[in-house]
Amino acid sequence: LDDGGEAAFPVVSIVRPDGRTAWAGIGWPGALGVVTGINAHGIAVMVDPARTADVRPTRTARPVALLVRTILEQATTLDDAIKLIEGTPTLGTAVIVVVDGTSGRWVQVERTPNKAITERNPKQPAIGDVLTTHALSGDPENDRASRILSTKGRVERAAKLVRAPLADVAAMAAVLRDRKALDEGPRPPGHR
């Protein structure tokens, strides 16, 4: 928690909605949606916002965080979650990871307002805020982000660190706080 500064006060919500599936999520005070959560059926969802050129102001699309809340409240299987993501136009763009805790299977869905590309066998064991599927990697905003952001190096480093099973939560936290480059050297000055 000390990594986020004084303004970062995470809130853990445990929600039992009437007629829906119970879920828990991590967010911030006043958040209506979810960016990281798990439901009573073991369906876990994580979101990493991304950039694309097809994001347009509209009143009909759903914010990604509200879509994730719907997934947690309604999905009982991985396929249920995928169907909800693919069938819901979103207001923004994001890489959405859905994990079935029962089977250990997981998918990566790149969701833009107009497209949803699902990878059932993701190439990397880590994701970032740049779209990587062939259908979306050439988007001009995404291409620009892939060239100027440090995402590729961070994802490659994280993928290297999680190749073997992690021993505990502390080991996972160490991966998230890792500040080294892929070659074990320090990252360049000014690197976030």
Side-chain angles (χ1 to χ4, degrees), residues 121-159:
N121 297 305
K123 298 174 199 96
Q124 290 270 27
I127 62 122
D129 56 355
V130 173
L131 307 175
T132 59
T133 60
H134 181 68
L136 296 170
S137 63
D139 175 272
E141 287 296 317
N142 184 67
D143 178 60
R144 180 177 181 273
S146 69
R147 285 184 286 110
I148 65 169
L149 298 177
S150 58
T151 300
K152 182 179 179 192
R154 289 184 297 118
V155 168
E156 288 173 347
R157 174 70 178 165

PDB file of all heavy atoms in Angstrom, residues 121-159:
ATOM      1  N   ASN A 121      -5.384 -19.190 -25.094  1.00  0.00           N
ATOM      2  CA  ASN A 121      -4.070 -19.673 -24.667  1.00  0.00           C
ATOM      3  C   ASN A 121      -3.074 -18.531 -24.839  1.00  0.00           C
ATOM      4  O   ASN A 121      -2.314 -18.507 -25.800  1.00  0.00           O
ATOM      5  CB  ASN A 121      -3.636 -20.887 -25.507  1.00  0.00           C
ATOM      6  CG  ASN A 121      -4.573 -22.051 -25.319  1.00  0.00           C
ATOM      7  OD1 ASN A 121      -4.803 -22.491 -24.202  1.00  0.00           O
ATOM      8  ND2 ASN A 121      -5.149 -22.539 -26.409  1.00  0.00           N
ATOM      9  N   PRO A 122      -3.092 -17.560 -23.909  1.00  0.00           N
ATOM     10  CA  PRO A 122      -2.224 -16.390 -24.060  1.00  0.00           C
ATOM     11  C   PRO A 122      -0.753 -16.782 -24.214  1.00  0.00           C
ATOM     12  O   PRO A 122      -0.278 -17.737 -23.602  1.00  0.00           O
ATOM     13  CB  PRO A 122      -2.455 -15.613 -22.768  1.00  0.00           C
ATOM     14  CG  PRO A 122      -3.811 -16.049 -22.308  1.00  0.00           C
ATOM     15  CD  PRO A 122      -3.913 -17.486 -22.702  1.00  0.00           C
ATOM     16  N   LYS A 123      -0.061 -16.014 -25.070  1.00  0.00           N
ATOM     17  CA  LYS A 123       1.345 -16.287 -25.360  1.00  0.00           C
ATOM     18  C   LYS A 123       2.237 -16.017 -24.151  1.00  0.00           C
ATOM     19  O   LYS A 123       3.228 -16.689 -23.941  1.00  0.00           O
ATOM     20  CB  LYS A 123       1.807 -15.415 -26.531  1.00  0.00           C
ATOM     21  CG  LYS A 123       1.075 -15.674 -27.829  1.00  0.00           C
ATOM     22  CD  LYS A 123       1.506 -14.649 -28.886  1.00  0.00           C
ATOM     23  CE  LYS A 123       0.511 -14.578 -29.998  1.00  0.00           C
ATOM     24  NZ  LYS A 123      -0.460 -13.511 -29.864  1.00  0.00           N
ATOM     25  N   GLN A 124       1.923 -14.987 -23.390  1.00  0.00           N
ATOM     26  CA  GLN A 124       2.729 -14.576 -22.246  1.00  0.00           C
ATOM     27  C   GLN A 124       1.969 -14.848 -20.944  1.00  0.00           C
ATOM     28  O   GLN A 124       0.745 -14.710 -20.901  1.00  0.00           O
ATOM     29  CB  GLN A 124       3.016 -13.069 -22.305  1.00  0.00           C
ATOM     30  CG  GLN A 124       3.960 -12.666 -23.391  1.00  0.00           C
ATOM     31  CD  GLN A 124       5.405 -12.681 -22.908  1.00  0.00           C
ATOM     32  OE1 GLN A 124       5.781 -13.410 -22.003  1.00  0.00           O
ATOM     33  NE2 GLN A 124       6.215 -11.873 -23.542  1.00  0.00           N
ATOM     34  N   PRO A 125       2.681 -15.161 -19.855  1.00  0.00           N
ATOM     35  CA  PRO A 125       2.011 -15.312 -18.562  1.00  0.00           C
ATOM     36  C   PRO A 125       1.821 -13.976 -17.843  1.00  0.00           C
ATOM     37  O   PRO A 125       1.457 -13.950 -16.673  1.00  0.00           O
ATOM     38  CB  PRO A 125       2.970 -16.229 -17.791  1.00  0.00           C
ATOM     39  CG  PRO A 125       4.314 -15.908 -18.347  1.00  0.00           C
ATOM     40  CD  PRO A 125       4.077 -15.582 -19.803  1.00  0.00           C
ATOM     41  N   ALA A 126       2.075 -12.871 -18.529  1.00  0.00           N
ATOM     42  CA  ALA A 126       1.897 -11.533 -17.953  1.00  0.00           C
ATOM     43  C   ALA A 126       1.297 -10.639 -19.027  1.00  0.00           C
ATOM     44  O   ALA A 126       1.469 -10.875 -20.215  1.00  0.00           O
ATOM     45  CB  ALA A 126       3.241 -10.980 -17.486  1.00  0.00           C
ATOM     46  N   ILE A 127       0.596  -9.601 -18.609  1.00  0.00           N
ATOM     47  CA  ILE A 127      -0.013  -8.656 -19.551  1.00  0.00           C
ATOM     48  C   ILE A 127       0.383  -7.238 -19.182  1.00  0.00           C
ATOM     49  O   ILE A 127       0.850  -6.981 -18.074  1.00  0.00           O
ATOM     50  CB  ILE A 127      -1.559  -8.785 -19.588  1.00  0.00           C
ATOM     51  CG1 ILE A 127      -2.177  -8.462 -18.227  1.00  0.00           C
ATOM     52  CG2 ILE A 127      -1.988 -10.151 -20.024  1.00  0.00           C
ATOM     53  CD1 ILE A 127      -3.142  -7.357 -18.261  1.00  0.00           C
ATOM     54  N   GLY A 128       0.146  -6.329 -20.108  1.00  0.00           N
ATOM     55  CA  GLY A 128       0.420  -4.927 -19.852  1.00  0.00           C
ATOM     56  C   GLY A 128      -0.639  -4.063 -20.497  1.00  0.00           C
ATOM     57  O   GLY A 128      -1.680  -4.552 -20.930  1.00  0.00           O
ATOM     58  N   ASP A 129      -0.361  -2.774 -20.588  1.00  0.00           N
ATOM     59  CA  ASP A 129      -1.335  -1.820 -21.094  1.00  0.00           C
ATOM     60  C   ASP A 129      -1.172  -1.534 -22.582  1.00  0.00           C
ATOM     61  O   ASP A 129      -1.527  -0.461 -23.059  1.00  0.00           O
ATOM     62  CB  ASP A 129      -1.284  -0.528 -20.282  1.00  0.00           C
ATOM     63  CG  ASP A 129       0.090   0.106 -20.239  1.00  0.00           C
ATOM     64  OD1 ASP A 129       1.054  -0.505 -20.756  1.00  0.00           O
ATOM     65  OD2 ASP A 129       0.220   1.208 -19.682  1.00  0.00           O
ATOM     66  N   VAL A 130      -0.655  -2.516 -23.320  1.00  0.00           N
ATOM     67  CA  VAL A 130      -0.543  -2.420 -24.769  1.00  0.00           C
ATOM     68  C   VAL A 130      -1.175  -3.670 -25.363  1.00  0.00           C
ATOM     69  O   VAL A 130      -0.934  -4.782 -24.896  1.00  0.00           O
ATOM     70  CB  VAL A 130       0.939  -2.294 -25.207  1.00  0.00           C
ATOM     71  CG1 VAL A 130       1.065  -2.362 -26.717  1.00  0.00           C
ATOM     72  CG2 VAL A 130       1.526  -0.986 -24.694  1.00  0.00           C
ATOM     73  N   LEU A 131      -1.980  -3.495 -26.394  1.00  0.00           N
ATOM     74  CA  LEU A 131      -2.655  -4.614 -27.045  1.00  0.00           C
ATOM     75  C   LEU A 131      -1.659  -5.386 -27.899  1.00  0.00           C
ATOM     76  O   LEU A 131      -0.836  -4.790 -28.588  1.00  0.00           O
ATOM     77  CB  LEU A 131      -3.810  -4.099 -27.891  1.00  0.00           C
ATOM     78  CG  LEU A 131      -4.799  -3.188 -27.147  1.00  0.00           C
ATOM     79  CD1 LEU A 131      -5.833  -2.624 -28.107  1.00  0.00           C
ATOM     80  CD2 LEU A 131      -5.462  -3.913 -25.999  1.00  0.00           C
ATOM     81  N   THR A 132      -1.749  -6.710 -27.865  1.00  0.00           N
ATOM     82  CA  THR A 132      -0.751  -7.527 -28.554  1.00  0.00           C
ATOM     83  C   THR A 132      -1.322  -8.438 -29.633  1.00  0.00           C
ATOM     84  O   THR A 132      -0.563  -8.999 -30.414  1.00  0.00           O
ATOM     85  CB  THR A 132       0.009  -8.403 -27.540  1.00  0.00           C
ATOM     86  OG1 THR A 132      -0.924  -9.229 -26.849  1.00  0.00           O
ATOM     87  CG2 THR A 132       0.781  -7.554 -26.551  1.00  0.00           C
ATOM     88  N   THR A 133      -2.647  -8.596 -29.705  1.00  0.00           N
ATOM     89  CA  THR A 133      -3.200  -9.478 -30.732  1.00  0.00           C
ATOM     90  C   THR A 133      -3.002  -8.858 -32.102  1.00  0.00           C
ATOM     91  O   THR A 133      -2.955  -7.636 -32.258  1.00  0.00           O
ATOM     92  CB  THR A 133      -4.705  -9.746 -30.508  1.00  0.00           C
ATOM     93  OG1 THR A 133      -5.416  -8.515 -30.546  1.00  0.00           O
ATOM     94  CG2 THR A 133      -4.955 -10.473 -29.200  1.00  0.00           C
ATOM     95  N   HIS A 134      -2.887  -9.711 -33.104  1.00  0.00           N
ATOM     96  CA  HIS A 134      -2.655  -9.244 -34.469  1.00  0.00           C
ATOM     97  C   HIS A 134      -3.733  -8.259 -34.922  1.00  0.00           C
ATOM     98  O   HIS A 134      -3.445  -7.254 -35.566  1.00  0.00           O
ATOM     99  CB  HIS A 134      -2.586 -10.439 -35.427  1.00  0.00           C
ATOM    100  CG  HIS A 134      -2.337 -10.048 -36.839  1.00  0.00           C
ATOM    101  ND1 HIS A 134      -1.133  -9.512 -37.257  1.00  0.00           N
ATOM    102  CD2 HIS A 134      -3.141 -10.087 -37.932  1.00  0.00           C
ATOM    103  CE1 HIS A 134      -1.204  -9.236 -38.541  1.00  0.00           C
ATOM    104  NE2 HIS A 134      -2.393  -9.583 -38.985  1.00  0.00           N
ATOM    105  N   ALA A 135      -4.982  -8.519 -34.540  1.00  0.00           N
ATOM    106  CA  ALA A 135      -6.095  -7.683 -34.993  1.00  0.00           C
ATOM    107  C   ALA A 135      -6.034  -6.262 -34.428  1.00  0.00           C
ATOM    108  O   ALA A 135      -6.561  -5.337 -35.035  1.00  0.00           O
ATOM    109  CB  ALA A 135      -7.423  -8.325 -34.605  1.00  0.00           C
ATOM    110  N   LEU A 136      -5.393  -6.071 -33.278  1.00  0.00           N
ATOM    111  CA  LEU A 136      -5.405  -4.759 -32.639  1.00  0.00           C
ATOM    112  C   LEU A 136      -4.037  -4.118 -32.475  1.00  0.00           C
ATOM    113  O   LEU A 136      -3.939  -2.935 -32.162  1.00  0.00           O
ATOM    114  CB  LEU A 136      -6.093  -4.856 -31.271  1.00  0.00           C
ATOM    115  CG  LEU A 136      -7.566  -5.249 -31.324  1.00  0.00           C
ATOM    116  CD1 LEU A 136      -8.090  -5.547 -29.932  1.00  0.00           C
ATOM    117  CD2 LEU A 136      -8.383  -4.160 -31.976  1.00  0.00           C
ATOM    118  N   SER A 137      -2.971  -4.859 -32.676  1.00  0.00           N
ATOM    119  CA  SER A 137      -1.636  -4.309 -32.427  1.00  0.00           C
ATOM    120  C   SER A 137      -1.277  -3.160 -33.369  1.00  0.00           C
ATOM    121  O   SER A 137      -0.449  -2.324 -33.036  1.00  0.00           O
ATOM    122  CB  SER A 137      -0.578  -5.411 -32.515  1.00  0.00           C
ATOM    123  OG  SER A 137      -0.538  -5.946 -33.819  1.00  0.00           O
ATOM    124  N   GLY A 138      -1.905  -3.093 -34.550  1.00  0.00           N
ATOM    125  CA  GLY A 138      -1.608  -2.035 -35.506  1.00  0.00           C
ATOM    126  C   GLY A 138      -2.410  -0.764 -35.321  1.00  0.00           C
ATOM    127  O   GLY A 138      -2.215   0.205 -36.056  1.00  0.00           O
ATOM    128  N   ASP A 139      -3.301  -0.724 -34.345  1.00  0.00           N
ATOM    129  CA  ASP A 139      -4.069   0.491 -34.079  1.00  0.00           C
ATOM    130  C   ASP A 139      -3.084   1.648 -33.840  1.00  0.00           C
ATOM    131  O   ASP A 139      -2.095   1.472 -33.119  1.00  0.00           O
ATOM    132  CB  ASP A 139      -4.948   0.278 -32.843  1.00  0.00           C
ATOM    133  CG  ASP A 139      -5.682   1.532 -32.447  1.00  0.00           C
ATOM    134  OD1 ASP A 139      -5.111   2.333 -31.659  1.00  0.00           O
ATOM    135  OD2 ASP A 139      -6.804   1.726 -32.918  1.00  0.00           O
ATOM    136  N   PRO A 140      -3.316   2.834 -34.423  1.00  0.00           N
ATOM    137  CA  PRO A 140      -2.328   3.918 -34.309  1.00  0.00           C
ATOM    138  C   PRO A 140      -2.031   4.353 -32.870  1.00  0.00           C
ATOM    139  O   PRO A 140      -0.882   4.602 -32.528  1.00  0.00           O
ATOM    140  CB  PRO A 140      -2.929   5.059 -35.126  1.00  0.00           C
ATOM    141  CG  PRO A 140      -4.303   4.656 -35.493  1.00  0.00           C
ATOM    142  CD  PRO A 140      -4.446   3.197 -35.267  1.00  0.00           C
ATOM    143  N   GLU A 141      -3.044   4.448 -32.022  1.00  0.00           N
ATOM    144  CA  GLU A 141      -2.804   4.836 -30.623  1.00  0.00           C
ATOM    145  C   GLU A 141      -2.059   3.742 -29.874  1.00  0.00           C
ATOM    146  O   GLU A 141      -1.183   4.003 -29.067  1.00  0.00           O
ATOM    147  CB  GLU A 141      -4.119   5.165 -29.920  1.00  0.00           C
ATOM    148  CG  GLU A 141      -4.739   6.470 -30.342  1.00  0.00           C
ATOM    149  CD  GLU A 141      -3.872   7.664 -29.982  1.00  0.00           C
ATOM    150  OE1 GLU A 141      -3.317   7.715 -28.861  1.00  0.00           O
ATOM    151  OE2 GLU A 141      -3.743   8.559 -30.834  1.00  0.00           O
ATOM    152  N   ASN A 142      -2.441   2.502 -30.128  1.00  0.00           N
ATOM    153  CA  ASN A 142      -1.768   1.375 -29.487  1.00  0.00           C
ATOM    154  C   ASN A 142      -0.320   1.268 -29.974  1.00  0.00           C
ATOM    155  O   ASN A 142       0.591   1.023 -29.188  1.00  0.00           O
ATOM    156  CB  ASN A 142      -2.515   0.076 -29.777  1.00  0.00           C
ATOM    157  CG  ASN A 142      -1.916  -1.098 -29.067  1.00  0.00           C
ATOM    158  OD1 ASN A 142      -1.948  -1.192 -27.849  1.00  0.00           O
ATOM    159  ND2 ASN A 142      -1.334  -2.001 -29.832  1.00  0.00           N
ATOM    160  N   ASP A 143      -0.106   1.485 -31.277  1.00  0.00           N
ATOM    161  CA  ASP A 143       1.245   1.438 -31.837  1.00  0.00           C
ATOM    162  C   ASP A 143       2.121   2.504 -31.190  1.00  0.00           C
ATOM    163  O   ASP A 143       3.263   2.231 -30.803  1.00  0.00           O
ATOM    164  CB  ASP A 143       1.194   1.632 -33.356  1.00  0.00           C
ATOM    165  CG  ASP A 143       2.572   1.633 -33.966  1.00  0.00           C
ATOM    166  OD1 ASP A 143       3.278   0.613 -33.832  1.00  0.00           O
ATOM    167  OD2 ASP A 143       2.962   2.667 -34.553  1.00  0.00           O
ATOM    168  N   ARG A 144       1.581   3.684 -31.038  1.00  0.00           N
ATOM    169  CA  ARG A 144       2.331   4.771 -30.393  1.00  0.00           C
ATOM    170  C   ARG A 144       2.670   4.389 -28.954  1.00  0.00           C
ATOM    171  O   ARG A 144       3.797   4.562 -28.500  1.00  0.00           O
ATOM    172  CB  ARG A 144       1.512   6.066 -30.418  1.00  0.00           C
ATOM    173  CG  ARG A 144       2.204   7.244 -29.778  1.00  0.00           C
ATOM    174  CD  ARG A 144       1.346   8.522 -29.908  1.00  0.00           C
ATOM    175  NE  ARG A 144       2.016   9.647 -29.332  1.00  0.00           N
ATOM    176  CZ  ARG A 144       1.950   9.984 -28.045  1.00  0.00           C
ATOM    177  NH1 ARG A 144       1.227   9.282 -27.207  1.00  0.00           N
ATOM    178  NH2 ARG A 144       2.599  11.042 -27.601  1.00  0.00           N
ATOM    179  N   ALA A 145       1.691   3.849 -28.221  1.00  0.00           N
ATOM    180  CA  ALA A 145       1.927   3.439 -26.839  1.00  0.00           C
ATOM    181  C   ALA A 145       2.995   2.353 -26.757  1.00  0.00           C
ATOM    182  O   ALA A 145       3.855   2.380 -25.873  1.00  0.00           O
ATOM    183  CB  ALA A 145       0.624   2.950 -26.213  1.00  0.00           C
ATOM    184  N   SER A 146       2.964   1.415 -27.690  1.00  0.00           N
ATOM    185  CA  SER A 146       3.955   0.330 -27.655  1.00  0.00           C
ATOM    186  C   SER A 146       5.363   0.841 -27.920  1.00  0.00           C
ATOM    187  O   SER A 146       6.333   0.251 -27.458  1.00  0.00           O
ATOM    188  CB  SER A 146       3.586  -0.775 -28.636  1.00  0.00           C
ATOM    189  OG  SER A 146       3.724  -0.343 -29.960  1.00  0.00           O
ATOM    190  N   ARG A 147       5.464   1.941 -28.659  1.00  0.00           N
ATOM    191  CA  ARG A 147       6.788   2.498 -28.953  1.00  0.00           C
ATOM    192  C   ARG A 147       7.317   3.392 -27.838  1.00  0.00           C
ATOM    193  O   ARG A 147       8.524   3.453 -27.622  1.00  0.00           O
ATOM    194  CB  ARG A 147       6.760   3.281 -30.271  1.00  0.00           C
ATOM    195  CG  ARG A 147       6.710   2.381 -31.493  1.00  0.00           C
ATOM    196  CD  ARG A 147       6.767   3.140 -32.806  1.00  0.00           C
ATOM    197  NE  ARG A 147       5.486   3.801 -33.080  1.00  0.00           N
ATOM    198  CZ  ARG A 147       5.262   5.108 -33.049  1.00  0.00           C
ATOM    199  NH1 ARG A 147       6.234   5.941 -32.787  1.00  0.00           N
ATOM    200  NH2 ARG A 147       4.069   5.607 -33.300  1.00  0.00           N
ATOM    201  N   ILE A 148       6.440   4.123 -27.126  1.00  0.00           N
ATOM    202  CA  ILE A 148       6.937   5.095 -26.146  1.00  0.00           C
ATOM    203  C   ILE A 148       6.836   4.625 -24.691  1.00  0.00           C
ATOM    204  O   ILE A 148       7.551   5.140 -23.842  1.00  0.00           O
ATOM    205  CB  ILE A 148       6.235   6.462 -26.297  1.00  0.00           C
ATOM    206  CG1 ILE A 148       4.754   6.365 -25.974  1.00  0.00           C
ATOM    207  CG2 ILE A 148       6.469   7.042 -27.663  1.00  0.00           C
ATOM    208  CD1 ILE A 148       4.074   7.713 -25.851  1.00  0.00           C
ATOM    209  N   LEU A 149       5.962   3.670 -24.407  1.00  0.00           N
ATOM    210  CA  LEU A 149       5.830   3.195 -23.032  1.00  0.00           C
ATOM    211  C   LEU A 149       6.824   2.070 -22.753  1.00  0.00           C
ATOM    212  O   LEU A 149       7.332   1.431 -23.657  1.00  0.00           O
ATOM    213  CB  LEU A 149       4.404   2.705 -22.778  1.00  0.00           C
ATOM    214  CG  LEU A 149       3.295   3.746 -22.909  1.00  0.00           C
ATOM    215  CD1 LEU A 149       1.937   3.091 -22.700  1.00  0.00           C
ATOM    216  CD2 LEU A 149       3.499   4.873 -21.904  1.00  0.00           C
ATOM    217  N   SER A 150       7.042   1.820 -21.495  1.00  0.00           N
ATOM    218  CA  SER A 150       7.973   0.764 -21.082  1.00  0.00           C
ATOM    219  C   SER A 150       7.276  -0.588 -20.935  1.00  0.00           C
ATOM    220  O   SER A 150       7.855  -1.527 -20.394  1.00  0.00           O
ATOM    221  CB  SER A 150       8.602   1.155 -19.749  1.00  0.00           C
ATOM    222  OG  SER A 150       7.576   1.341 -18.775  1.00  0.00           O
ATOM    223  N   THR A 151       6.073  -0.708 -21.449  1.00  0.00           N
ATOM    224  CA  THR A 151       5.262  -1.901 -21.250  1.00  0.00           C
ATOM    225  C   THR A 151       5.944  -3.182 -21.694  1.00  0.00           C
ATOM    226  O   THR A 151       5.960  -4.173 -20.957  1.00  0.00           O
ATOM    227  CB  THR A 151       3.916  -1.752 -21.978  1.00  0.00           C
ATOM    228  OG1 THR A 151       3.242  -0.617 -21.445  1.00  0.00           O
ATOM    229  CG2 THR A 151       3.057  -2.979 -21.809  1.00  0.00           C
ATOM    230  N   LYS A 152       6.507  -3.200 -22.893  1.00  0.00           N
ATOM    231  CA  LYS A 152       7.083  -4.436 -23.419  1.00  0.00           C
ATOM    232  C   LYS A 152       8.158  -4.994 -22.482  1.00  0.00           C
ATOM    233  O   LYS A 152       8.140  -6.168 -22.133  1.00  0.00           O
ATOM    234  CB  LYS A 152       7.662  -4.209 -24.814  1.00  0.00           C
ATOM    235  CG  LYS A 152       8.213  -5.465 -25.423  1.00  0.00           C
ATOM    236  CD  LYS A 152       8.762  -5.230 -26.820  1.00  0.00           C
ATOM    237  CE  LYS A 152       9.323  -6.538 -27.369  1.00  0.00           C
ATOM    238  NZ  LYS A 152      10.096  -6.351 -28.556  1.00  0.00           N
ATOM    239  N   GLY A 153       9.060  -4.161 -22.048  1.00  0.00           N
ATOM    240  CA  GLY A 153      10.117  -4.606 -21.136  1.00  0.00           C
ATOM    241  C   GLY A 153       9.580  -5.060 -19.795  1.00  0.00           C
ATOM    242  O   GLY A 153      10.042  -6.055 -19.231  1.00  0.00           O
ATOM    243  N   ARG A 154       8.587  -4.332 -19.268  1.00  0.00           N
ATOM    244  CA  ARG A 154       8.002  -4.723 -17.983  1.00  0.00           C
ATOM    245  C   ARG A 154       7.288  -6.062 -18.082  1.00  0.00           C
ATOM    246  O   ARG A 154       7.397  -6.907 -17.194  1.00  0.00           O
ATOM    247  CB  ARG A 154       7.034  -3.647 -17.478  1.00  0.00           C
ATOM    248  CG  ARG A 154       7.729  -2.388 -17.016  1.00  0.00           C
ATOM    249  CD  ARG A 154       6.777  -1.360 -16.417  1.00  0.00           C
ATOM    250  NE  ARG A 154       5.820  -0.884 -17.407  1.00  0.00           N
ATOM    251  CZ  ARG A 154       4.502  -1.025 -17.328  1.00  0.00           C
ATOM    252  NH1 ARG A 154       3.955  -1.616 -16.306  1.00  0.00           N
ATOM    253  NH2 ARG A 154       3.727  -0.554 -18.276  1.00  0.00           N
ATOM    254  N   VAL A 155       6.541  -6.283 -19.182  1.00  0.00           N
ATOM    255  CA  VAL A 155       5.817  -7.546 -19.362  1.00  0.00           C
ATOM    256  C   VAL A 155       6.810  -8.698 -19.544  1.00  0.00           C
ATOM    257  O   VAL A 155       6.637  -9.767 -18.951  1.00  0.00           O
ATOM    258  CB  VAL A 155       4.839  -7.457 -20.557  1.00  0.00           C
ATOM    259  CG1 VAL A 155       4.306  -8.827 -20.934  1.00  0.00           C
ATOM    260  CG2 VAL A 155       3.693  -6.512 -20.215  1.00  0.00           C
ATOM    261  N   GLU A 156       7.862  -8.481 -20.323  1.00  0.00           N
ATOM    262  CA  GLU A 156       8.869  -9.528 -20.508  1.00  0.00           C
ATOM    263  C   GLU A 156       9.536  -9.881 -19.182  1.00  0.00           C
ATOM    264  O   GLU A 156       9.770 -11.053 -18.885  1.00  0.00           O
ATOM    265  CB  GLU A 156       9.914  -9.090 -21.537  1.00  0.00           C
ATOM    266  CG  GLU A 156       9.387  -9.068 -22.956  1.00  0.00           C
ATOM    267  CD  GLU A 156      10.374  -8.466 -23.945  1.00  0.00           C
ATOM    268  OE1 GLU A 156      11.376  -7.842 -23.524  1.00  0.00           O
ATOM    269  OE2 GLU A 156      10.128  -8.606 -25.156  1.00  0.00           O
ATOM    270  N   ARG A 157       9.850  -8.883 -18.376  1.00  0.00           N
ATOM    271  CA  ARG A 157      10.482  -9.122 -17.068  1.00  0.00           C
ATOM    272  C   ARG A 157       9.513  -9.880 -16.156  1.00  0.00           C
ATOM    273  O   ARG A 157       9.891 -10.859 -15.508  1.00  0.00           O
ATOM    274  CB  ARG A 157      10.899  -7.789 -16.426  1.00  0.00           C
ATOM    275  CG  ARG A 157      11.424  -7.897 -15.031  1.00  0.00           C
ATOM    276  CD  ARG A 157      12.771  -8.565 -14.954  1.00  0.00           C
ATOM    277  NE  ARG A 157      13.208  -8.585 -13.563  1.00  0.00           N
ATOM    278  CZ  ARG A 157      14.172  -9.324 -13.109  1.00  0.00           C
ATOM    279  NH1 ARG A 157      14.856 -10.100 -13.919  1.00  0.00           N
ATOM    280  NH2 ARG A 157      14.500  -9.295 -11.841  1.00  0.00           N
ATOM    281  N   ALA A 158       8.257  -9.450 -16.089  1.00  0.00           N
ATOM    282  CA  ALA A 158       7.270 -10.139 -15.252  1.00  0.00           C
ATOM    283  C   ALA A 158       7.073 -11.579 -15.719  1.00  0.00           C
ATOM    284  O   ALA A 158       6.994 -12.505 -14.898  1.00  0.00           O
ATOM    285  CB  ALA A 158       5.944  -9.387 -15.263  1.00  0.00           C
ATOM    286  N   ALA A 159       7.013 -11.787 -17.021  1.00  0.00           N
ATOM    287  CA  ALA A 159       6.849 -13.141 -17.560  1.00  0.00           C
ATOM    288  C   ALA A 159       8.021 -14.029 -17.152  1.00  0.00           C
ATOM    289  O   ALA A 159       7.833 -15.201 -16.806  1.00  0.00           O
ATOM    290  CB  ALA A 159       6.719 -13.091 -19.077  1.00  0.00           C
TER     291      ALA A 159
END
